[in-house]
Amino acid sequence: GQQVMQIPQYQHVQEGEDFTTYCNSSTTLSNIQWYKQRPGGHPVFLIQLVKSGEVKKQKRLTFQFGEAKKNSSLHITATQTTDVGTYFCEGNTPLVFGKGTRLSVIA
Amino acid sequence: DTGVSQDPRHKITKRGQNVTFRCDPISEHNRLYWYRQTLGQGPEFLTYFQNEAQLEKSRLLSDRFSAERPKGSFSTLEIQRTEQGDSAMYLCASSFQGAAGYTFGSGTRLTVV
């Protein structure tokens, strides 16, 4: 079945450093969603990418969808302590979440 | 307030007992999803409904798990003869067909002792 792999599993950064998490699927995705889950919280939808090669930005967050629609990335510029949490990608053919990348930001 | 309500928030049960959880989605959402999440893992898909129809069910889901959404509004997830391995956070989410992303509830944390 389809698998969605995320790397790295953990990332510790100093506040102000950049952060990137990568999502790779074993099969072509129709679209991909990104979620953020704060410690003790539930996943919160961030964005959906649909088109091959698509790039979307939300303030300091940049999301990319690969040309082959098998991989995606989330890049955070100049991390802040409010960015702490686990970032998940989800491919919906079928509904499969990656294991997430846990981001820690050291002030 | 996310708009998706789950009840109860916590449930402790003895192994072998049956448990039932309830999810009330955002009222205008016609799709409802159940996920299970254990520590350090991503949400694992269990099943989803469009209106009252159960459209997909994970092959990982044993016969001890059943979900219903009889009137296309709230949903229940029942686990029969609970096992310690069922201990997890059970998350419900809803969406409107064609819309991007889901809105998750706060979850029901199940502990089987």
Side-chain angles (χ1 to χ4, degrees):
Chain A
Q2 180 196 57
Q3 291 190 2
V4 175
M5 309 298 290
Q6 272 188 264
I7 55 171
Q9 190 174 0
Y10 302 97
Q11 186 78 57
H12 306 280
V13 299
Q14 288 284 136
E15 190 173 23
E17 291 182 338
D18 293 355
F19 159 77
T20 304
T21 175
Y22 300 91
C23 182
N24 298 293
S25 170
S26 56
T27 59
T28 302
L29 301 170
S30 59
N31 55 56
I32 193 163
Q33 283 70 234
W34 284 92
Y35 292 79
K36 176 183 178 181
Q37 186 171 23
R38 293 181 182 274
H42 53 271
V44 174
F45 173 70
L46 295 176
I47 208 160
Q48 182 188 61
L49 302 172
V50 178
K51 299 177 183 177
S52 170
E54 188 170 18
V55 178
K56 286 188 176 180
K57 293 190 175 184
Q58 288 180 349
K59 298 182 180 178
R60 295 178 294 104
L61 278 60
T62 302
F63 303 84
Q64 292 189 330
F65 203 7
E67 293 290 341
K69 300 182 73 172
K70 284 189 172 184
N71 55 71
S72 181
S73 65
L74 158 59
H75 179 83
I76 303 178
T77 303
T79 54
Q80 301 174 358
T81 55
T82 53
D83 296 325
V84 164
T86 302
Y87 293 84
F88 294 100
C89 62
E90 181 236 352
N92 68 346
T93 53
L95 304 163
V96 178
F97 275 78
K99 291 188 176 182
T101 296
R102 183 179 296 178
L103 173 64
S104 299
V105 179
I106 305 166
Chain B
D1 183 6
T2 65
V4 178
S5 299
Q6 291 190 245
D7 184 69
R9 292 293 302 272
H10 304 274
K11 178 71 177 178
I12 300 174
T13 190
K14 291 184 178 180
R15 189 173 51 188
Q17 297 293 306
N18 298 345
V19 294
T20 300
F21 309 140
R22 177 180 170 121
C23 172
D24 287 89
I26 293 173
S27 58
E28 59 266 28
H29 286 181
N30 62 345
R31 286 190 171 177
L32 185 148
Y33 308 80
W34 284 99
Y35 286 85
R36 176 173 63 188
Q37 187 176 29
T38 54
L39 196 63
Q41 301 295 314
E44 176 190 16
F45 170 72
L46 297 178
T47 188
Y48 94 92
F49 294 83
Q50 181 162 303
N51 301 312
E52 65 276 8
Q54 188 172 19
L55 294 189
E56 193 165 341
K57 186 176 177 180
S58 170
R59 283 174 286 180
L60 300 175
L61 211 59
S62 79
D63 291 341
R64 297 184 297 106
F65 288 72
S66 62
E68 293 183 342
R69 195 184 183 199
K71 297 182 180 180
S73 55
F74 74 92
S75 175
T76 57
L77 177 68
E78 181 183 17
I79 308 174
Q80 297 181 327
R81 305 181 302 282
T82 52
E83 303 172 355
Q84 286 189 319
D86 297 331
S87 295
M89 176 71 82
Y90 289 83
L91 292 165
C92 175
S94 70
S95 72
F96 190 76
Q97 182 183 358
Y102 322 126
T103 301
F104 280 86
S106 297
T108 294
R109 182 171 296 281
L110 173 66
T111 303
V112 181
V113 297

